[in-house]
Amino acid sequence: RVGPRKTLLATMAGDVVLFTSTGFATNPALLLALRLLVGAFSPLVPALTYIFEVVPTEKASFAATLYSYAVIVGLATGNASVVLYEYLGFQGLGILSGALAVGAFVQASLLLKHTPAAERPKSAGVGKALRSPNFLTQSTTAFCMGFFFLARDSMITVDCAQRFGLSAAQTGAVMLCSPLVFFCATWTVTAVTKRTGLQLAITIGTLANVLCCFIMSLPAAHGSLGGLIIAFVFSNAAFIFQHVPNQVRAKMIGHHQTTNGTGSITGSSRVLWSSGQAVGPAAVLALYAAFGPSAAWMCMGSVHAATLLLYLMLGVNLWRDPWPKAEDAVAVPAAVEVEIAAPAAEVSTSK
């Protein structure tokens, strides 16, 4: 109704208040309430919706890659800020996060273009697309990615602090592996999907994470800090092979199966991603507390395996895209002018 630009700015304004307020939380109940509100005001869905609405289809993959790099920078900044915990304290980190949110809000206000409601054409075919096997598998993969990403990071954070006795700064240093691997893997998956299409990379990444999780469920594998870090690095690379092409799949479903319905398809997919983020940490940490790391890793591996099973049940090809490869390859041209401002990613201080 109001367009992705206004929605994005509203969520970012909320982040300014909530990020800063988090630093002044005085008890766990207030902190939990604030973190729930931060999730409700997440700018990730309207940011991706804005990108896919204003960027032409042939440039969507490149835009998604830029978006992923923006998120990587946010992850790196957030994880690096955890190292400052011992110097700034929790309140200082909250104020720092709020300041970064102010900068992102000002940048978005100045650079994002407004599309009047009269210029936004009506959509058609969205309901049918949302019920299609292509979207059901795409959205299930998005749920799996959200589930795995936060569940694994939460468990490794707990592992580093409780089982291996690392300090907050040392744990933050370990978590910096994520953005470093993401940066390299995003560029690699870009080159791979340019030649093979989207689906092959998604399937390879899923199989790799199934293997990684089941191996890590063995006590000999998760019993050492070195093994945990190796699994963290490997699973991050596999995650990027799943997540980046799967984001572009949402754009392609909107383009090929609807009329002007890309925003609705992308938004629905991101809701599933967010739902996975909400469920994953609670489920995996509950298993971790009750049965130990083996059960937690088995749970995450089973979620990945279930997405592959759904592909087979719905008859969706695991290896080839349903669209012409030339259209949906994640290509990075030598010089492309994209009239968007990559959104500043949320900097989380909850770790």
Side-chain angles (χ1 to χ4, degrees), residues 107-190:
Q107 180 198 41
S109 300
L110 295 175
L111 298 181
L112 298 186
K113 292 184 175 181
H114 173 62
T115 303
E119 297 180 16
R120 293 195 296 270
K122 293 184 178 181
S123 59
V126 173
K128 184 177 180 181
L130 291 175
R131 297 188 297 271
S132 69
N134 282 330
F135 180 76
L136 291 175
T137 50
Q138 192 280 337
S139 58
T140 301
T141 302
F143 176 89
C144 172
M145 295 293 88
F147 183 102
F148 176 69
F149 181 64
L150 273 195
R152 183 209 56 192
D153 280 15
S154 300
M155 189 187 69
I156 288 179
T157 300
V158 171
D159 246 359
C160 287
Q162 295 191 357
R163 277 210 302 149
F164 299 108
L166 301 188
S167 66
Q170 290 170 327
T171 300
V174 170
M175 301 309 291
L176 274 172
C177 291
S178 272
L180 295 176
V181 174
F182 284 174
F183 185 86
C184 298
T186 298
W187 189 260
T188 302
V189 76
T190 295

Side-chain angles (χ1 to χ4, degrees), residues 264-310:
S264 298
I265 298 297
T266 303
S268 299
S269 172
R270 297 296 293 188
V271 168
L272 269 295
W273 155 271
S274 301
S275 300
Q277 288 186 311
V279 174
V284 168
L285 288 178
L287 288 171
Y288 181 94
F291 304 106
S294 293
W297 282 106
M298 283 289 291
C299 173
M300 292 185 287
S302 298
V303 170
H304 283 296
T307 63
L308 296 177
L309 181 60
L310 183 65

Side-chain angles (χ1 to χ4, degrees), residues 137-264:
T137 50
Q138 192 280 337
S139 58
T140 301
T141 302
F143 176 89
C144 172
M145 295 293 88
F147 183 102
F148 176 69
F149 181 64
L150 273 195
R152 183 209 56 192
D153 280 15
S154 300
M155 189 187 69
I156 288 179
T157 300
V158 171
D159 246 359
C160 287
Q162 295 191 357
R163 277 210 302 149
F164 299 108
L166 301 188
S167 66
Q170 290 170 327
T171 300
V174 170
M175 301 309 291
L176 274 172
C177 291
S178 272
L180 295 176
V181 174
F182 284 174
F183 185 86
C184 298
T186 298
W187 189 260
T188 302
V189 76
T190 295
V192 170
T193 52
K194 181 178 180 180
R195 293 165 175 78
T196 66
L198 304 172
Q199 188 57 56
L200 180 63
I202 295 170
T203 300
I204 289 174
T206 305
L207 288 171
N209 264 327
V210 169
L211 179 64
C212 177
C213 290
F214 287 153
I215 289 176
M216 286 302 295
S217 68
L218 303 174
H222 66 244
S224 69
L225 180 60
L228 191 69
I229 293 175
I230 291 172
F232 189 42
V233 170
F234 180 83
S235 63
N236 272 324
F239 170 85
I240 288 297
F241 267 70
Q242 296 169 273
H243 181 55
V244 174
N246 196 59
Q247 287 188 125
V248 183
R249 271 191 81 201
K251 166 70 173 180
M252 294 303 159
I253 291 169
H255 176 68
H256 289 279
Q257 297 182 217
T258 74
T259 301
N260 302 314
T262 298
S264 298

Side-chain angles (χ1 to χ4, degrees), residues 60-70 186-187 190 244 247-248 330-332:
S61 298
F62 181 56
T65 302
L66 289 180
Y67 172 86
S68 297
Y69 278 128
T186 298
W187 189 260
T190 295
V244 174
Q247 287 188 125
V248 183
V330 185
V332 180

Side-chain angles (χ1 to χ4, degrees), residues 79-96 167-173:
N79 288 327
S81 70
V82 174
V83 178
L84 299 175
Y85 175 82
E86 296 179 359
Y87 307 99
L88 299 179
F90 191 72
Q91 188 177 99
L93 288 182
I95 295 173
L96 176 62
S167 66
Q170 290 170 327
T171 300

